[in-house]
Amino acid sequence: MTTSSAASATTAPSAVLPRGPGPGVGSDFARLSRRIDEAGLLRRRPGYYTVRLALVTGLLAGGWAAFLALGDTWWQLAVAVFMALVFGQVALVAHDLAHRQVFRQRRPSAACGRLFGNLGIGMSYGWWMNKHTRHHANPNHEQLDPDVAPDILVWSTEQARDSGGLARFIGGHQAFLFFPLLTLEGFNLHVASVRALLSPSMKSRWLEGGLLFLHLSAYLSVLFLVLSPGKAIAFLTVHQCLFGVYLGSIFAPNHKGMPTFSGDDRPDFLRRQVLTSRNVRGGRVTDLMLGGLNYQIEHHLFPSMPSPHLRRARVVVRAYCEEIGVPYHETGLIRSYREALAHLHRVGEPIRRQRKSAPGQ
C-alpha cells in the first residue's frame, strides 16, 4: 500500500456518483446513509437555490453594468477584483448544478450548468464534469484521480522520483510556487475547455463550443471596446489571475496533503472518501466564500446533498466516524493551507536530493 499521510497526522457532468463498491445493506456507508436520510438532509432546497442563483446572476450582471458605466479608467481594476470573486461564485453554482444538488434531472442541471459555466465564465461544463466525476470516484488515487496526476506538480514521493519535464523542474520548490502558479489557473481553465472540444468523448460539442465562443468573444470585445489596450490587458490580467487564485484557494484545502492511494489500494466507499478529505472549520462567511466545500467529507460522501445541509450533516458524519473508528480530519483554513504546502514540500524532497547529487551541482 502506498499512502502519504497528511502533515498534521491526524479534503459535475454527471457528478452524481454511484455509491461505490461495498455500500450494501449492512455496510458502514449504508448505515450512515440511512441516518442522513432520516434526518431529511438529502431533500432538495428549491427556495434556497432560487435565491442563490438569482443573487449570483445579479452580481454577474451588476459587475458588467458597473464596468460599462465606469468607462475607460484605471478604477476598472477594482471591478476586475470584484468580478474575480463573482466568477468564483458562478463556478461554485455550476459545481452544485453538476452534482444535481439543484435539480434531480440531468437535462435541467446540464442546461443551467452550461449557461453558468460555458456562457457565464468561459469554463466548459462537459469537460469539468467528466474530470470532476473521476475525481469523486477515486479521490487522491494517483492513477485514477486526474486532480493528482503529476502534470506540473507532484503529489507523492513516488511521483517525484519518476517525474520528468516541467514537474521535475518545479517539483523541488513547488510548495513556494503553489500560490503563484494559481494565478495561471483561470487561463488554464479556458484553454483546457477549448481543447476539450477536440475530444471524441465531448458530448454536445457544438453547444459547448458555441457558448464558449460567445463568452470569449463578448468578454474580449467588451474589454477592448470600452478600455484602451493597456487598461484592457491590465483588467484581463488582474481579473483572470485573481479568479484563478480564488478558485484554487477554494479547492486546495479539500484533499491536498491528505493520504494518497496507488495501484489496487482502494478502501471501501466510506473510507475512500473520508480518509482522503479534509474539512475546514469556520462560520457562515467561510461557508459562503468556499461554497460549502469546506464540508468536503460530507460532500464526498453525499455529492448530491444540497450545500446548505452540509453543516448539519457534519455533526452526524463526525459522530458516526468516531463510532466506527474512522479518522475524521478537520482544521482551520490557514492550517489547511499549511498542511497542504508542507506536504508539497515534503514529497518534493527526492527531486531536491537528486539535484544536489547530480554532477556539477
Side-chain angles (χ1 to χ4, degrees):
M1 178 173 180
T2 303
T3 306
S4 301
S5 300
S8 69
T10 6
T11 178
S14 172
V16 179
L17 303 167
R19 294 309 188 189
V25 175
S27 72
D28 288 333
F29 176 75
R31 287 189 288 272
L32 172 62
S33 186
R34 283 194 293 273
R35 296 186 189 184
I36 291 291
D37 190 40
E38 289 168 1
L41 298 176
L42 297 176
R43 288 199 297 265
R44 291 296 184 272
R45 292 286 300 273
Y48 165 84
Y49 276 110
T50 298
V51 172
R52 181 176 171 189
L53 268 62
L55 284 174
V56 169
T57 301
L59 289 171
L60 186 63
W64 286 121
F67 176 88
L68 294 173
L70 277 175
D72 189 17
T73 169
W74 286 107
W75 285 106
Q76 292 283 17
L77 295 185
V79 178
V81 174
F82 173 75
M83 291 300 286
L85 296 174
V86 172
F87 266 44
Q89 288 294 315
V90 173
L92 289 170
V93 164
H95 170 272
D96 286 10
L97 284 161
H99 280 294
R100 298 189 203 172
Q101 295 177 17
V102 184
F103 306 106
R104 291 185 185 277
Q105 294 78 22
R106 180 185 63 81
R107 284 191 175 183
S109 299
C112 288
R114 290 188 177 106
L115 286 176
F116 280 97
N118 295 55
L119 185 60
I121 61 174
M123 180 185 74
S124 169
Y125 175 86
W127 161 76
W128 182 84
M129 185 172 182
N130 176 275
K131 174 176 176 287
H132 196 61
T133 299
R134 288 184 286 134
H135 158 71
H136 262 265
N138 293 281
N140 274 16
H141 191 289
E142 294 177 25
Q143 288 79 44
L144 302 176
D145 181 359
D147 288 353
V148 292
D151 184 10
I152 294 179
L153 305 179
V154 293
W155 307 103
S156 70
T157 53
E158 289 77 9
Q159 288 183 349
R161 294 188 188 101
D162 299 334
S163 65
L166 193 56
R168 172 167 290 277
F169 179 74
I170 290 175
H173 304 286
Q174 59 185 9
F176 302 100
L177 296 172
F178 180 73
F179 280 103
L181 285 171
L182 287 183
T183 60
L184 303 177
E185 183 60 20
F187 298 102
N188 176 59
L189 289 175
H190 300 312
V191 172
S193 295
V194 173
R195 289 177 60 188
L197 297 174
L198 303 177
S199 171
S201 63
M202 171 63 76
K203 297 179 180 179
S204 304
R205 184 193 316 274
W206 292 106
L207 177 58
E208 292 259 351
L211 291 173
L212 282 175
F213 175 78
L214 279 176
H215 170 86
L216 293 173
S217 59
Y219 179 88
L220 294 174
S221 296
V222 167
L223 258 59
F224 284 92
L225 286 174
V226 173
L227 303 177
S228 65
K231 293 188 185 75
I233 292 172
F235 182 99
L236 185 150
T237 302
V238 171
H239 178 213
Q240 295 298 329
C241 287
L242 290 183
F243 169 51
V245 171
Y246 179 36
L247 206 59
S249 298
I250 291 172
F251 287 93
N254 300 342
H255 304 281
K256 309 312 179 192
M258 296 302 291
T260 60
F261 299 101
S262 181
D264 295 330
D265 298 337
R266 291 184 83 243
D268 63 80
F269 180 78
L270 183 143
R271 288 163 180 81
R272 188 160 73 244
Q273 305 302 335
V274 175
L275 295 177
T276 59
S277 302
R278 175 194 293 108
N279 272 18
V280 175
R281 289 190 296 269
R284 298 296 180 181
V285 173
T286 303
D287 291 0
L288 173 65
M289 295 303 293
L290 300 187
L293 295 182
N294 44 313
Y295 305 107
Q296 189 68 193
I297 294 172
E298 289 70 30
H299 170 61
H300 259 255
L301 288 169
F302 303 98
S304 62
M305 179 184 290
S307 58
H309 288 170
L310 293 170
R311 173 181 282 267
R312 290 169 54 198
R314 168 189 171 275
V315 178
V316 179
V317 173
R318 182 165 186 163
Y320 183 75
C321 286
E322 183 176 355
E323 179 183 321
I324 64 174
V326 173
Y328 181 105
H329 188 48
E330 183 176 68
T331 186
L333 182 62
I334 301 303
R335 178 62 181 269
S336 73
Y337 293 136
R338 289 173 57 190
E339 290 181 1
L341 294 177
H343 173 80
L344 287 173
H345 185 69
R346 185 170 61 253
V347 300
E349 173 59 27
I351 297 176
R352 294 192 297 274
R353 189 166 54 246
Q354 289 170 10
R355 284 180 178 173
K356 289 180 179 178
S357 61
Q361 297 295 314

